[in-house]
Amino acid sequence: MAEINLKGISRRWGDFVGVDDLTLHIPDREFLVLLGPSGCGKSTTMRMIAGLEEVTEGEIWLGDKMVNRLEPKDRDISMVFQSYGLYPNMTVYENIRFPLRIRKVPKDQHHERVMKAAEMVELTGFLDRRPAALSGGQRQRVALARAIVREPNAFLMDEPLSNLDAKLRVSTRAQIANLHHTLKTTTIYVTHDQVEAMTLADRVVVMNKGVAQQVAPPMEIYDRPANTFVASFIGAPAMNLIEGEIAGGTFTSPVLRVEGLPHPVSGPVTLGFRAEDVEVVSEGGNLSAPVYSVEKLGDSTMFAIRAKEDMIALKAGKAADMEIGETVHARIPPGACHVFGPDGQRVEAPGL
C-alpha cells in the first residue's frame, strides 16, 4: 500500500499544455477519480503517474520514493485500460497468470494467486476459455484479475468501462467498488462519466484544460460546486445557470427574480439552481415560461422550458403532465440557489 503525492506536475508539448502545475495528495487506500471532458488532462495525469508519459515539471512520489525516472515496471502499479489488452492465444488462466511470470514470482505461488484473483471477479468457471469466447464484461473482469494478481501498491484505471453496454457498466462498476472495499488498495480512476465518479470516489478531481477545478468528496462537489464549469459539468441534467444582477439579496434577470438570497455581493452574477430544486406551482412563482420538451423517466418527469435565450431544466413528479407549448409556473427557493461571480467562481454566503 502507498500514498501518492503529485507535486506541481506539468506536461507540455511545445506551447500546448496538457497538465498545468497539478498538486495532489492521495492518501493510502483512497479511491480518487479524475473526472472531466475529453482533452482535460486526466489521462495524461494518470500516464505520468504510471511512467508512460514524461513529466515536464514537478515530482511524483509513491510512498517515500520519487519515481520520475523509474521505468513503469519498477513503480509497482497495476493498470487497467479501456482496451482490455488480453493475449488472444492464452487462456483466461494464463492471461491472469502472465504478470506473475514476467515479474518472476516463484511458481509455487502462481496457482493460489490466480485462483484468488479469479474468484474475486467471478471468473473461476471461465479459466480454460480464450478471450474470443468471452463477452466484453468478462474480458474486462480478466483485465481486473490480471491487475489484482500482482498485489500492487496502487491501481490505475483508465476509462475501464467505456467499451461496455449500459447494463454491464452498472454491474462492473459495482464490482469495482466491492473490490476496492475488499482490497483497500490506493486507486486512481479516470473517467468522463460523472455517475462513475459520484458512485465510486472517495474524492473527485474535476479537471478542465489541464487544471484541477475542484478536489472534494462527490457530494460536496454536487452541493457546492467551486465554479460555473464544475456546476455545468456535474449533474444530470447540468445545473441551470442564469446571468443577471444581484443587489440587497435580490437577483434579477429578464426571466427570473429571486428574493432573500443570503449573499452580500452586488453587481453582475450568475445564479445556479438544480432541476430537482425547482418547485412547479399552479400559479405565481418567480419563473414562467412555455414547455420546450417533456421527458417521462418513469420515476419522474423532466421538463425543458425556454425563457428568452435560456433553456432551463425542471424535474417534477412522475404524474406531472404538461404539453409542449403550455406555460409552466415555477418557484426557485432562495436556499437552493448558488451564486457565482463575474470570474465564474463561487460566492459563499456568510457563515458557510
Side-chain angles (χ1 to χ4, degrees), residues 39-112:
C40 71
K42 57 188 185 296
S43 289
T44 300
T45 299
M46 174 171 284
R47 290 175 62 83
M48 286 193 286
I49 296 170
L52 303 175
E53 196 73 63
E54 182 181 344
V55 179
T56 307
E57 294 174 358
E59 298 177 353
I60 297 175
W61 289 75
L62 302 182
D64 59 359
K65 183 183 296 185
M66 204 263 277
V67 299
N68 287 44
R69 300 188 182 280
L70 283 185
E71 293 294 320
K73 64 182 178 61
D74 298 322
R75 299 193 182 196
D76 199 15
I77 286 174
S78 279
M79 287 200 70
V80 179
F81 296 96
Q82 179 179 345
S83 58
Y84 315 124
L86 305 181
Y87 297 101
N89 60 323
M90 293 184 184
T91 64
V92 169
Y93 184 97
E94 288 300 328
N95 265 283
I96 298 172
R97 182 188 176 201
F98 189 75
L100 303 179
R101 292 170 53 194
I102 291 298
R103 296 177 70 82
K104 296 182 171 53
V105 173
K107 288 185 178 180
D108 60 0
Q109 298 180 20
H110 288 197
H111 183 71
E112 181 181 353

Side-chain angles (χ1 to χ4, degrees), residues 181-219:
H181 177 78
T182 302
L183 296 169
K184 295 179 173 58
T185 302
T186 308
T187 301
I188 301 175
Y189 187 104
V190 162
T191 185
H192 64 273
D193 186 323
Q194 57 175 295
V195 175
E196 292 177 24
M198 294 294 290
T199 55
L200 289 171
D202 295 319
R203 285 189 305 157
V204 178
V205 181
V206 183
M207 297 187 70
N208 187 38
K209 298 180 180 178
V211 177
Q213 303 293 311
Q214 187 171 4
V215 183
M219 288 311 300

Side-chain angles (χ1 to χ4, degrees), residues 6-273:
L6 312 181
K7 300 182 179 181
I9 64 170
S10 298
R11 181 65 175 112
R12 298 188 180 89
W13 295 269
D15 293 333
F16 178 77
V17 180
V19 176
D20 188 17
D21 192 24
L22 178 62
T23 295
L24 276 175
H25 170 64
I26 305 160
D28 184 22
R29 304 186 178 190
E30 181 173 63
F31 196 119
L32 183 86
V33 172
L34 303 177
L35 174 69
S38 297
C40 71
K42 57 188 185 296
S43 289
T44 300
T45 299
M46 174 171 284
R47 290 175 62 83
M48 286 193 286
I49 296 170
L52 303 175
E53 196 73 63
E54 182 181 344
V55 179
T56 307
E57 294 174 358
E59 298 177 353
I60 297 175
W61 289 75
L62 302 182
D64 59 359
K65 183 183 296 185
M66 204 263 277
V67 299
N68 287 44
R69 300 188 182 280
L70 283 185
E71 293 294 320
K73 64 182 178 61
D74 298 322
R75 299 193 182 196
D76 199 15
I77 286 174
S78 279
M79 287 200 70
V80 179
F81 296 96
Q82 179 179 345
S83 58
Y84 315 124
L86 305 181
Y87 297 101
N89 60 323
M90 293 184 184
T91 64
V92 169
Y93 184 97
E94 288 300 328
N95 265 283
I96 298 172
R97 182 188 176 201
F98 189 75
L100 303 179
R101 292 170 53 194
I102 291 298
R103 296 177 70 82
K104 296 182 171 53
V105 173
K107 288 185 178 180
D108 60 0
Q109 298 180 20
H110 288 197
H111 183 71
E112 181 181 353
R113 288 173 64 168
V114 169
M115 294 305 295
K116 180 180 177 182
E119 185 176 354
M120 283 185 174
V121 296
E122 301 175 8
L123 280 175
T124 52
F126 302 89
L127 293 175
D128 293 332
R129 296 191 188 183
R130 285 183 166 76
L134 302 176
S135 68
Q138 289 164 344
R139 292 178 194 177
Q140 191 56 276
R141 281 189 277 155
V142 176
L144 286 169
R146 192 173 55 187
I148 292 167
V149 79
R150 281 186 53 188
E151 300 175 358
N153 279 327
F155 291 120
L156 305 183
M157 300 187 182
D158 193 1
E159 308 231 27
L161 308 185
S162 294
N163 290 340
L164 305 181
D165 63 34
K167 185 177 180 180
L168 278 174
R169 279 202 301 272
V170 171
S171 60
T172 309
R173 189 172 72 224
Q175 194 159 48
I176 289 173
N178 186 267
L179 283 171
H180 179 71
H181 177 78
T182 302
L183 296 169
K184 295 179 173 58
T185 302
T186 308
T187 301
I188 301 175
Y189 187 104
V190 162
T191 185
H192 64 273
D193 186 323
Q194 57 175 295
V195 175
E196 292 177 24
M198 294 294 290
T199 55
L200 289 171
D202 295 319
R203 285 189 305 157
V204 178
V205 181
V206 183
M207 297 187 70
N208 187 38
K209 298 180 180 178
V211 177
Q213 303 293 311
Q214 187 171 4
V215 183
M219 288 311 300
E220 181 177 333
I221 284 177
Y222 189 84
D223 291 336
R224 298 162 63 82
N227 54 44
T228 51
F229 174 81
V230 177
S232 64
F233 193 78
I234 299 294
M239 182 179 286
N240 297 299
L241 297 171
I242 309 294
E243 293 184 0
E245 299 272 336
I246 191 170
T250 297
F251 171 85
T252 55
S253 81
V255 302
L256 177 65
R257 178 182 175 89
V258 181
E259 299 178 346
L261 294 167
H263 293 79
V265 296
S266 296
V269 296
T270 299
L271 190 79
F273 54 93

